Amino acid sequence: MKATKVDCAQCGNKDKSIFCELEEKGLQSISDQKIMNTYKKGQVLFHEGNPAFGVYCISSGKIKLTKLSESGKEIIISISGPGDIVGSQHIVKAGLNDVTATALEETKICFIDREFMNKTVKAEPSCAMELVSHLTSDALKMHDRMAHFSHKNVRERVAYLLIDLARSYGSETPQGTRLGIQLSREDMAGMLGIASETLIRELSILKEEGVIEQDGKTIILLKKNELESLIS
């Protein structure tokens, strides 16, 4: 883990974050307070159940947020990428981390102390409004995912996940929509609440049908419209 320093005003993800409306003085204040660290793939930012000391703003890379089930199995709750802030629910009130955050690839993270963020949100109405917007959006996404999975079969769940990943991390190529994120089959199965073997079998069927293709560990959606029809 390596510490670096980058001016928030020059951050390419500023417009995606809760700081997007801050004036230069406010951004400089954030820059002066934050600590930027680089995490290697597999490194843990924080553990579920430990005290939450602040928020983590993702500059580059991706992290997975997981919880342990009653049986001790790791379940992926969500994936966060550039511009996302993790732990924002602790800005207003201190508490324990309700998830574990782990880097999925080399990831640069800006850590900002909770007390400083609390003062900033109180002093900057635009920051407070953006925080509410982000929290609401995250809650709606979680609700949509749970509602979609409640009465869907395995193929429909897999289709939903692939389309959801395409929306966030997909890039259009002549071949199809290439997913710019590599998840292990165990991680994908955990997100869907199914066994790894079941997911692998379903992906193999989709590949045989010419709906998807695999380039190493990267999935390419050859017929995205067919997947979308399964979740409409």
Side-chain angles (χ1 to χ4, degrees):
M1 191 169 64
K2 179 179 59 178
T4 56
K5 194 76 170 179
V6 176
D7 192 335
C8 288
Q10 305 303 318
C11 179
N13 301 304
K14 178 175 70 68
D15 292 341
K16 302 176 185 178
S17 76
I18 67 172
F19 311 122
C20 61
E21 298 295 332
L22 285 182
E23 299 293 337
E24 184 177 346
K25 182 178 179 181
L27 287 173
Q28 187 58 54
S29 180
I30 298 291
S31 293
D32 292 341
Q33 289 289 326
K34 75 178 184 180
I35 299 173
M36 176 176 269
N37 293 315
T38 300
Y39 292 81
K40 295 181 180 179
K41 179 179 179 180
Q43 279 192 298
V44 175
L45 282 69
F46 55 81
H47 289 276
E48 177 183 358
N50 286 353
F53 297 110
V55 299
Y56 301 77
C57 186
I58 303 175
S59 178
S60 65
K62 304 175 188 70
I63 65 172
K64 64 178 180 179
L65 304 178
T66 62
K67 289 183 73 69
L68 286 179
S69 67
E70 293 183 357
S71 63
K73 183 179 180 180
E74 182 183 85
I75 300 173
I76 293 185
I77 303 301
S78 64
I79 295 171
S80 297
D84 290 335
I85 288 188
V86 179
S88 53
Q89 70 271 28
H90 298 302
I91 292 176
V92 178
K93 185 178 180 180
L96 302 179
N97 293 314
D98 53 356
V99 295
T100 295
T102 307
L104 285 170
E105 57 192 43
E106 182 170 286
T107 304
K108 291 184 178 180
I109 303 285
C110 296
F111 172 80
I112 309 171
D113 178 75
R114 192 197 75 81
E115 290 188 9
F116 174 78
M117 278 301 305
N118 185 283
K119 293 177 181 178
T120 299
V121 168
K122 290 179 179 178
E124 299 283 354
S126 66
C127 194
M129 290 301 297
E130 288 296 331
L131 173 61
V132 171
S133 177
H134 276 65
L135 289 173
T136 301
S137 177
D138 289 345
L140 288 174
K141 287 179 183 178
M142 185 62 66
H143 179 271
D144 180 63
R145 180 180 167 192
M146 293 177 65
H148 191 89
F149 284 178
S150 59
H151 301 295
K152 300 297 182 181
N153 59 37
V154 171
R155 168 161 284 215
E156 291 167 336
R157 291 188 185 190
V158 173
Y160 179 89
L161 177 59
L162 293 175
I163 292 299
D164 190 44
L165 293 175
R167 288 169 182 161
S168 299
Y169 308 109
S171 59
E172 298 303 323
T173 70
Q175 188 177 9
T177 304
R178 189 180 186 90
L179 302 187
I181 182 172
Q182 295 183 356
L183 295 172
S184 69
R185 299 302 174 252
E186 291 77 13
D187 282 344
M188 292 179 68
M191 295 177 74
L192 296 170
I194 60 177
S196 299
E197 295 78 9
T198 302
L199 171 70
I200 293 171
R201 182 169 59 250
E202 192 59 47
L203 290 177
S204 296
I205 294 173
L206 289 172
K207 185 176 180 180
E208 290 173 2
E209 295 175 349
V211 178
I212 68 171
E213 185 56 82
Q214 290 181 258
D215 180 10
K217 295 182 179 180
T218 301
I219 295 176
I220 303 170
L221 310 187
L222 303 178
K223 299 179 181 178
K224 187 167 65 173
N225 60 325
E226 289 193 19
L227 294 171
E228 290 174 331
S229 68
L230 290 172
I231 64 176
S232 59

